[in-house]
Amino acid sequence: MNLDEIKSKINEEYFHKSPPFVSKYLPLMPIRDHEKFISLKEGSTPLIKSKVIGPELGIDLHFKLESQNPTGSFKDRGSAVELTKAKELGVKAITVASTGNMAASCSCYAAAAQLPCFIFVPEDTPASKISQSIAYGGRIVKIKGTYNDAAIMARSVAEQLGFYLAGDYAYRVEGHKTAVFELLDQMFFNVPDAIIVPVGCGTNMAAYAKGYREYMELGFVDHMPELVAVQASGASPVVNSFNKNLKHIEPVTSVSTVAGAIGIGDPIDGVKALDAVYSSGGFAAGFSDTEMLEAQYRLSKEEGLFVEASCAASVACLIKDGKNGKYAGKKVVCVLTGGGLKDPTTILKIAIKPPTIYPEVDSFLSLYEAKFFEGKTVSFTEKDKVLFEKEPDLPTLKKTLLEHFETSWDEESIKRIKKMIAGFLVKGKPVTFSDLQDAAQDVLETPESPKKEVLKVKDYEVITIKDKKPTAKVKILVNGKEFNGSAEGVGPVDALINALRDGGGDNLEFSLMDYRVDIRNRGTNAVVFAELKLKQKGVTSLGTGTSPDIIQASIEAFEQAYNGFLKV
Ligand SMILES: *Cc1c(COP(=O)(O)O)cnc(C)c1O
């Protein structure tokens, strides 16, 4: 780079005149024909002053909202440069490895450049990120392996087929460094005291250091801020090296974190990221999933910024370090690298499920009066934590509910929750946090037990045999009179419904309108939620049942629908 030439071009007038996008910094990029820069107006992302967290910690805290880029992450800065370069080099296709965001960004810019894009991602990449790439026409291939396996695939494919290898390589850094230039514009060329950057491959961190070095050489600033690298404790090779004062990276073989975008065990630019930390006087620190999720929730609830768990690590760092005053009174920037919609499932993992009710104001009012909305909207309790192995007494249950949901429900609801817990335990299912949540919500959402009980299922038996139709037998009471029924079906629930129809004869009149099951959580002992819609004499009614046993859940739903006559 010819800095003298750049100096002659980038002057005060230039800063005043050029529009605030990545393209503004083209004189600092290795691109031949600026007219051919492939841009979707990336960059120009807001710098937002913290409203709650900063003042609370006594830090002059700012957030650089990189989620506002075209595909929702800072990667677009680099993709614009990479795809322009690929086009300039006249390649026939590009290939890239990704944990998701790189895939979305490269396929987007490949679309804008009219180049095919082949992407390798680890098998467990979130569907939301994959769908984004598919939408842009990216050719996704899932790899049974880690991100590093995917990176090796991309490199080999690029070599064998002569594709352009996009990703965390030299040209990308040229795009990513523009975040520094932009930040300085937004801060009127005052260097902040520290910038906290979430680190995966380390490329972004390396770019921040490069950006500062260039502006120092150009004489625009005279020093670098402390560059702080934050990682997930479950994938923290850079942090490990920093703690041992090493200059090299010792790869981490198994990676485990909710923050997929930084779940990298062997970072390509790890050494450069470490160097950025050392040479700027910063530090590196790792944070647990819970710390990141709590910070993510605080950012959205208290600041209105819904970001990916990975970049919430930067805020988790301040919450932890801010307390001991490291940055008290200092100007600090947290780089919020990606948007929350990139992986909405992380929030769903901690969310208290929103209630589903019938379109009746009374149903809402009963939730409202039961103080449901005074409770939490998220809980950081492990979903599969076992709460009850034997039936709790009412005061214990009440205390547990209060502890986990921060709200107390009326005695009647708690009794119904207790009954449901008993039902789980009878089936041999220990009650976990997530079971308790399901039970509590099902009770709150569904109306109390029916006024009149026309139908009662006394007992049932379902037999399923390999390669044979299932058969079901039922013993039912209709208006107090006992009937027996038996039938076959294509599946156990179908057999059961047929048996009910058979047993009820002319006394039971219904047609099944809809049946839906929802398996809650994973595992062979998962709880099943059944919802069933019946039509009786022109009236449609709904029933629900929750049990670790799908047949039992369906029976409960049937009884409730039949007796409830809940109009829908
Ligand atoms: C890619 C990415 C990171 C990590 O950046 P590196 O350059 O790999 O260190 C962090 N957060 C988000 C949202 C990302 O997409």
Side-chain angles (χ1 to χ4, degrees):
M1 228 177 281
N2 183 338
L3 288 175
D4 286 334
E5 195 192 317
I6 293 169
K7 264 188 208 164
S8 72
K9 275 192 199 146
I10 298 194
N11 48 34
E12 212 178 320
E13 198 197 335
Y14 180 83
F15 276 119
H16 283 303
K17 277 191 177 162
S18 355
F21 301 108
V22 166
S23 53
K24 175 173 182 178
Y25 309 103
L26 276 168
L28 287 136
M29 284 185 221
I31 286 170
R32 291 217 180 90
D33 184 351
H34 292 181
E35 293 297 309
K36 291 192 178 151
F37 185 55
I38 293 163
S39 175
L40 293 163
K41 299 272 184 274
E42 52 291 321
S44 191
T45 59
L47 183 68
I48 294 172
K49 196 173 160 72
S50 167
K51 293 170 181 62
V52 177
I53 301 172
E56 193 181 300
L57 298 173
I59 297 173
D60 182 13
L61 178 61
H62 298 256
F63 303 113
K64 181 72 172 150
L65 214 59
E66 290 290 274
S67 49
Q68 299 283 32
N69 277 294
T71 72
S73 85
F74 74 95
K75 299 272 195 314
D76 297 340
R77 294 179 184 271
S79 301
V81 177
E82 279 202 311
L83 267 296
T84 302
K85 215 57 206 166
K87 205 74 181 167
E88 192 180 292
L89 295 167
V91 300
K92 54 179 183 254
I94 73 158
T95 179
V96 64
S98 174
T99 59
N101 287 343
M102 182 76 86
S105 183
C106 283
S107 47
C108 168
Y109 281 81
Q114 282 103 49
L115 279 175
C117 178
F118 295 88
I119 304 153
F120 299 96
V121 296
E123 197 177 12
D124 58 359
T125 303
S128 47
K129 295 184 182 181
I130 291 181
S131 66
Q132 208 185 354
S133 306
I134 293 173
Y136 291 121
R139 307 312 299 252
I140 293 258
V141 180
K142 293 187 184 179
I143 298 293
K144 290 190 182 296
T146 62
Y147 166 78
N148 285 107
D149 296 318
I152 293 166
M153 278 293 289
R155 180 181 283 274
S156 312
V157 166
E159 277 167 9
Q160 289 199 19
L161 296 175
F163 292 172
Y164 178 94
L165 179 62
D168 287 316
Y169 306 106
Y171 289 128
R172 171 162 298 275
V173 175
E174 301 301 315
H176 288 181
K177 72 183 181 187
T178 61
V180 163
F181 305 155
E182 207 174 277
L183 196 56
L184 283 167
D185 275 358
Q186 288 167 317
M187 298 192 130
F188 304 103
F189 286 81
N190 289 313
V191 178
D193 293 295
I195 302 185
I196 309 183
V197 185
V199 167
C201 286
T203 313
N204 201 27
M205 179 57 118
Y208 272 65
K210 187 170 195 285
Y212 271 101
R213 284 198 194 102
E214 287 177 8
Y215 260 30
M216 281 156 69
E217 282 180 55
L218 285 164
F220 293 151
V221 292
D222 59 7
H223 71 286
M224 242 191 237
E226 287 180 18
L227 294 175
V228 178
V230 287
Q231 296 201 291
S233 327
S236 55
V238 173
V239 176
N240 297 347
S241 292
F242 177 81
N243 287 340
K244 294 193 222 158
N245 211 4
L246 301 177
K247 290 217 163 64
H248 66 275
I249 294 289
E250 293 169 340
V252 173
T253 41
S254 98
V255 157
S256 153
T257 171
V258 287
I262 51 172
I264 311 285
D266 189 5
I268 292 175
D269 284 329
V271 169
K272 286 187 187 164
L274 262 180
D275 178 63
V277 169
Y278 289 133
S279 60
S280 68
F283 65 96
F287 300 91
S288 70
D289 281 359
T290 304
E291 285 168 335
M292 288 187 285
L293 290 172
E294 280 178 347
Q296 180 189 32
Y297 186 60
R298 284 198 66 182
L299 272 168
S300 42
K301 184 152 184 287
E302 295 173 12
E303 306 273 355
L305 304 172
F306 180 32
V307 299
E308 265 196 78
S310 57
C311 41
S314 62
V315 175
C317 176
L318 285 179
I319 293 170
K320 238 183 172 176
D321 266 322
K323 286 213 177 102
N324 57 38
K326 177 155 172 50
Y327 290 119
K330 301 274 175 69
K331 194 187 275 290
V332 177
V333 178
C334 284
V335 183
L336 303 181
T337 43
L341 286 178
K342 283 289 199 168
D343 187 8
T345 55
T346 50
I347 283 290
L348 292 178
K349 279 180 198 141
I350 55 165
I352 301 290
K353 282 176 209 127
T356 310
I357 57 172
Y358 303 110
E360 288 167 355
V361 174
D362 277 353
S363 300
F364 174 78
L365 290 180
S366 79
L367 277 173
Y368 189 83
E369 275 151 20
K371 297 196 171 71
F372 179 80
F373 299 103
E374 286 172 30
K376 298 180 185 176
T377 48
V378 299
S379 165
F380 297 98
T381 308
E382 291 288 329
K383 292 279 185 226
D384 47 12
K385 180 181 170 177
V386 173
L387 297 181
F388 303 115
E389 281 182 284
K390 60 183 193 6
E391 196 178 333
D393 56 22
L394 272 178
T396 308
L397 178 57
K398 203 168 174 170
K399 198 169 135 264
T400 311
L401 287 167
L402 189 63
E403 181 187 329
H404 289 289
F405 303 100
E406 282 179 359
T407 183
S408 54
W409 289 304
D410 61 281
E411 199 85 351
E412 213 41 53
S413 300
I414 297 178
K415 276 188 190 149
R416 286 173 63 206
I417 296 170
K418 185 169 178 292
K419 203 173 143 208
M420 221 166 196
I421 289 174
F424 285 17
L425 293 167
V426 156
K427 294 278 178 187
K429 167 97 175 83
V431 177
T432 62
F433 169 73
S434 133
D435 295 335
L436 181 65
Q437 189 190 333
D438 283 338
Q441 286 195 218
D442 287 346
V443 162
L444 291 172
E445 287 165 19
T446 44
E448 293 190 33
S449 29
K451 311 265 174 308
K452 55 182 174 57
E453 196 174 72
V454 179
L455 170 101
K456 187 172 166 53
V457 178
K458 265 185 86 177
D459 209 355
Y460 62 82
E461 185 183 270
V462 179
I463 298 171
T464 62
I465 301 170
K466 185 169 187 269
D467 294 334
K468 276 195 185 149
K469 276 188 179 176
T471 56
K473 281 190 208 156
V474 290
K475 198 182 283 274
I476 53 178
L477 289 174
V478 183
N479 288 322
K481 265 169 78 186
E482 190 173 308
F483 297 93
N484 291 296
S486 64
E488 292 179 335
V490 294
V493 175
D494 192 44
L496 189 80
I497 299 288
N498 293 340
L500 284 162
R501 207 176 261 131
D502 176 62
D506 292 341
N507 301 301
L508 278 194
E509 200 190 306
F510 70 89
S511 52
L512 184 65
M513 305 297 289
D514 197 10
Y515 174 79
R516 181 172 80 87
V517 284
D518 186 13
I519 298 176
R520 301 206 161 148
N521 300 310
R522 298 164 89 158
T524 48
N525 68 349
V527 168
V528 175
F529 169 82
E531 189 178 271
L532 191 144
K533 207 186 259 185
L534 299 180
K535 196 167 192 170
Q536 301 158 288
K537 305 186 183 87
V539 181
T540 311
S541 60
L542 245 162
T544 61
T546 308
S547 167
D549 178 339
I550 184 172
I551 308 290
Q552 174 107 14
S554 307
I555 289 274
E556 284 172 13
F558 185 86
E559 280 183 329
Q560 206 185 60
Y562 199 89
N563 295 321
F565 277 86
L566 198 115
K567 294 180 291 305
V568 283

